[in-house]
Amino acid sequence: MKKITLLLILIFGYSFGLSAQCLTSTTQYPFGASYTIPVCDGLTQNIITTAGYAGEYSLVSVTLGETYTFGSSVASDIITISSDGGTTADTFGTGSVSWVATISGDIKFYTNLAGCGTQNTSRNRYVICGIPPTCIAPTGLVSSNITTTTATVSWTTSVTDPANGYEFYFSTANTAPATTDAATDGVVAGITSFDFTGLTSGTNYYIWVRSVCSNTDSSYWSVMGTFATLCEATTVPYIQDFESAVVPALPICTSNENVGLGYNWTTASNPGYGFSSNTLRYTYDFFNPADTWFYTQGIALDAGVSYDISYNYGNNSTFYTESMKVAYGISPTSADMTDILADHPTITGGVFSGGVVQQNIVSFTPTTSGVYYFGFNAYSIANQFSLYVDDIKIVTTPSCSIPFAVVATLPTNTGATISWTAPANAPASGYEYYLSTTNSSPLPTDLATDGVIAGITTVNLTGLTPFTTYYVWVRSVCSISDSSEWSAMVSFTTLPTPPANDDCMNAISITPGGVFTDSPVIGTTVGGTSTTGLTFACQTNRKNDVWYSVVVPASGSLTVETDTTPGTTMTDSVLSVFTGTCGSLTEVGCDDDAGNGNFSKVVLSALTPGSTLYIGVWTYSFSGGGIDGDFQLSAYDASLTSNTFSNSNFTFYPNPVKNVLNISNATTIYKVQVVNLLGQEMIVKSMNDTQGQIDMSQLGAGTYLVKLTSDDQIKTIKIIKE
């Protein structure tokens, strides 16, 4: 941007001999407050501006007695410094000047062409604070030979070895030392390493090194170096739930090894459905394949003893797969991961889209006593999504195994049914379950909520709080003193309390029939309805519902949805589906648009054929009230549809896209959603046409998933936004 520079005309009679002292400018840049110098080490050029012009000044805050060097990136510029507001010059020169401050406060720092000329061409104005040291700090700190109590730190000398050697500052806190802080220890000239002993195992250490120039002068401290001592071997049971990790770092006593071109394992906080608050994560890399290992702490195991390792895992995509191996060996290196325990070449399911977190348990018996490390190897191909691991447990094999395939079904407003599959060696003393409203995995020592006797693999939970998410784990009780590990977590949400006015005696009967999905096609058209004073949908006592009833078809499956009638102005709809009898209904499904525009949809299965469902529908805008337009209601058996999304008739371009994405299909596209890789919906657009354009110009650069709905089918494509 062009700056308008105002210069006073040289005062008549101004001495020609003082023409190099340029104090005539009245234009300050940068505007506003004075510049505070951030670094005072005698070396750093503190850049005041990169867009300075000749013929203006900057205000700079200085300290009495400190040495400063003021300069310009244009070597021929005249530099003038004034500590009295521009009345007289304290010093001046060409290119740069040094000055010992005579005040504490603001000074004016002028730049001009020769003869006090002006020029609207950008140049840097900079200031160096302090006297440069007579020697420079070392660089390239490297740690090696790390054990539980020792480590070696070495560094690279700077230009020439300092005459008096080096000093270092050593700490378990990562707070950099001040220039005046005393050193922890030092070495003589010519030595560029130090062996630390007597360290604490499993501890992070931080180190800084400086050159000792003379008895009275030292360089500034180097850039920080760091290392962590190894941990002493632990014993079983070993539990790593990653809750101690400071995200994205790994927990202490664990480690990484990247033998590929992709990323390293890190940790993630609250990644989503099914996992506890912290997990291990391999983040997708669109351009490089993964080949990275995560290693546990060393664990002392005995020869001939059977152990179990269990862990939860999953990915965040329903479209792509991930791959992972699990192994163990005598050191935390890929070369020693020789005993393969499990291989998962096709991990998929999209746990953040409602998929199930998978759990695996493997029994193994070491042939030699010793300390072993367990490795998790992400070896996914490039251009995939994220992989998650959690709740790694290594225990002595119990006399019975973990139950599997735990599921939660038939939730009501105060209960649900939990069922599971018995392991091959079914427990003699039945099962226990742990119920919680938080998703923190129970420890082996945590008391169970309740249990069931041997042979029973289901429990009916009662007395729960309506509209609340619960988390459940199940374990086998092998004997009075022995239990298996807890199963993988399953969660469910109780239904809201049914409306007080659930009198549906006047429900309008409809017949399963016309199919429409996310679009106004065909269905049963009904009149608009008025609403008043509605609160949050699916929990409110609805006073103005329009009620319908439908008989469940032979398949036991039914999809119920609403949509706007073409040409109407309905802005919102709410749909609730109930079982039971009028006056005593149980809500089995509810949808308040679910972020999908002007329609609601409930998909139900495992219903009793021939039974009656009652459907409450209403529309509203903002806080309720008014006639919001006609809508359509349709109930149908989706399992009988045979629509397909034809790839041969579908096109999209360009990819990568900069502004507008063009799409077309042989059949009508009803809706387009643009979702980022975190699952967040960025754009939603109703089309009702065979072709259209999506404006992506406001999105940031990156990769997005574009979901298109056509003929009750969803097509997902991946688009790169430039």
Side-chain angles (χ1 to χ4, degrees), residues 241-292:
D241 59 8
F242 300 97
E243 298 310 305
S244 65
V246 180
V247 176
L250 299 178
I252 194 72
C253 299
T254 67
S255 60
N256 256 342
E257 182 189 15
N258 194 350
V259 293
L261 300 175
Y263 295 136
N264 259 328
W265 287 102
T266 61
T267 54
S269 179
N270 297 314
Y273 177 94
F275 286 110
S276 56
S277 54
N278 282 3
T279 67
L280 182 68
R281 175 176 69 181
Y282 179 78
T283 303
Y284 61 86
D285 185 338
F286 279 106
F287 305 104
N288 300 297
D291 191 4
T292 183

Side-chain angles (χ1 to χ4, degrees), residues 241-583:
D241 59 8
F242 300 97
E243 298 310 305
S244 65
V246 180
V247 176
L250 299 178
I252 194 72
C253 299
T254 67
S255 60
N256 256 342
E257 182 189 15
N258 194 350
V259 293
L261 300 175
Y263 295 136
N264 259 328
W265 287 102
T266 61
T267 54
S269 179
N270 297 314
Y273 177 94
F275 286 110
S276 56
S277 54
N278 282 3
T279 67
L280 182 68
R281 175 176 69 181
Y282 179 78
T283 303
Y284 61 86
D285 185 338
F286 279 106
F287 305 104
N288 300 297
D291 191 4
T292 183
W293 288 85
F294 164 79
Y295 300 114
T296 66
Q297 181 177 354
I299 304 169
L301 303 178
D302 294 325
V305 176
S306 178
Y307 298 92
D308 283 359
I309 178 172
S310 62
Y311 49 91
N312 299 336
Y313 64 100
N315 75 347
N316 66 343
S317 172
T318 56
F319 314 106
Y320 303 103
T321 61
E322 300 292 345
S323 304
M324 181 180 71
K325 292 179 183 178
V326 182
Y328 74 111
I330 59 174
S331 74
T333 61
S334 58
D336 279 338
M337 290 291 113
T338 55
D339 292 305
I340 305 298
L341 295 171
D343 189 359
H344 307 288
T346 54
I347 302 171
T348 189
V351 294
F352 305 149
S353 302
V356 177
V357 175
Q358 301 177 74
Q359 183 183 46
N360 192 40
I361 179 170
V362 181
S363 297
F364 63 97
T365 303
T367 57
T368 304
S369 297
V371 175
Y372 293 90
Y373 297 81
F374 292 79
F376 290 75
N377 175 218
Y379 66 94
S380 307
I381 64 174
N383 203 18
Q384 298 298 297
F385 283 75
S386 295
L387 174 64
Y388 295 85
V389 177
D390 200 7
D391 294 329
I392 301 169
K393 299 176 184 177
I394 301 167
V395 299
T396 304
T397 301
S399 56
C400 60
S401 300
I402 301 173
F404 59 96
V406 181
V407 294
T409 57
L410 303 177
T412 66
N413 60 312
T414 59
T417 297
I418 308 298
S419 58
W420 56 90
T421 300
N425 53 339
S429 300
Y431 303 89
E432 293 177 329
Y433 64 87
Y434 186 89
L435 180 68
S436 177
T437 54
T438 61
N439 64 348
S440 296
S441 300
L443 299 174
T445 54
D446 285 339
L447 295 177
T449 303
D450 206 343
V452 296
I453 61 175
I456 303 299
T457 57
T458 185
V459 61
N460 294 317
L461 304 178
T462 60
L464 305 182
T465 303
F467 210 62
T468 301
T469 299
Y470 287 89
Y471 305 89
V472 183
W473 297 258
V474 181
R475 68 181 176 187
S476 300
V477 182
C478 315
S479 66
I480 295 177
S481 58
D482 188 19
S483 299
S484 74
E485 291 297 304
W486 291 106
S487 69
M489 180 187 71
V490 64
S491 67
F492 65 91
T493 301
T494 51
L495 300 176
T497 301
N501 59 319
D502 61 0
D503 181 7
C504 53
M505 296 298 294
N506 297 316
I508 302 168
S509 177
I510 62 174
T511 301
V515 176
F516 59 91
T517 300
D518 309 2
S519 61
V521 187
I522 57 175
T524 304
T525 301
V526 299
T529 180
S530 175
T531 58
T532 305
L534 295 173
T535 57
F536 184 71
C538 302
Q539 297 183 68
T540 183
N541 291 336
R542 297 176 286 272
K543 303 297 183 183
N544 296 289
D545 293 27
V546 177
W547 285 88
Y548 304 88
S549 65
V550 63
V551 177
V552 177
S555 65
S557 298
L558 200 69
T559 298
V560 183
E561 61 178 308
T562 65
D563 212 327
T564 56
T565 301
T568 64
T569 58
M570 189 188 79
T571 60
D572 204 350
S573 69
V574 182
L575 170 68
S576 290
V577 183
F578 300 85
T579 59
T581 58
C582 293

Side-chain angles (χ1 to χ4, degrees), residues 105-339:
D106 292 344
I107 59 93
K108 287 187 175 182
F109 168 15
Y110 296 85
T111 53
N112 286 86
L113 297 182
C116 297
T118 64
Q119 183 182 50
N120 292 353
T121 302
S122 294
R123 66 253 286 136
N124 295 352
R125 274 197 289 274
Y126 68 84
V127 58
I128 300 172
C129 174
I131 300 173
T134 57
C135 59
I136 309 302
T139 59
L141 272 66
V142 176
S143 303
S144 60
N145 303 323
I146 300 171
T147 70
T148 56
T149 58
T150 64
T152 298
V153 176
S154 57
W155 54 88
T156 302
T157 188
S158 55
V159 186
T160 58
D161 275 332
N164 289 47
Y166 301 90
E167 292 178 330
F168 58 83
Y169 186 89
F170 193 55
S171 176
T172 55
N174 64 348
T175 302
T179 305
T180 55
D181 285 341
T184 305
D185 206 340
V187 295
V188 299
I191 304 298
T192 57
S193 67
F194 188 84
D195 296 324
F196 292 90
T197 60
L199 306 179
T200 302
S201 64
T203 303
N204 287 320
Y205 287 94
Y206 306 90
I207 185 170
W208 297 260
V209 182
R210 67 182 176 188
S211 302
V212 183
C213 316
S214 66
N215 292 334
T216 58
D217 187 20
S218 297
S219 73
Y220 290 91
W221 292 109
S222 68
V223 174
M224 181 184 75
T226 183
F227 65 88
T229 51
L230 299 180
C231 294
E232 300 286 352
T234 188
T235 57
V236 294
Y238 172 83
I239 299 175
Q240 180 54 260
D241 59 8
F242 300 97
E243 298 310 305
S244 65
V246 180
V247 176
L250 299 178
I252 194 72
C253 299
T254 67
S255 60
N256 256 342
E257 182 189 15
N258 194 350
V259 293
L261 300 175
Y263 295 136
N264 259 328
W265 287 102
T266 61
T267 54
S269 179
N270 297 314
Y273 177 94
F275 286 110
S276 56
S277 54
N278 282 3
T279 67
L280 182 68
R281 175 176 69 181
Y282 179 78
T283 303
Y284 61 86
D285 185 338
F286 279 106
F287 305 104
N288 300 297
D291 191 4
T292 183
W293 288 85
F294 164 79
Y295 300 114
T296 66
Q297 181 177 354
I299 304 169
L301 303 178
D302 294 325
V305 176
S306 178
Y307 298 92
D308 283 359
I309 178 172
S310 62
Y311 49 91
N312 299 336
Y313 64 100
N315 75 347
N316 66 343
S317 172
T318 56
F319 314 106
Y320 303 103
T321 61
E322 300 292 345
S323 304
M324 181 180 71
K325 292 179 183 178
V326 182
Y328 74 111
I330 59 174
S331 74
T333 61
S334 58
D336 279 338
M337 290 291 113
T338 55
D339 292 305

Side-chain angles (χ1 to χ4, degrees), residues 28-48:
Q28 177 190 347
Y29 190 81
F31 309 110
S34 61
Y35 177 76
T36 300
I37 300 171
V39 180
C40 191
D41 58 7
L43 298 171
T44 301
Q45 283 192 1
N46 299 279
I47 304 299
I48 300 171

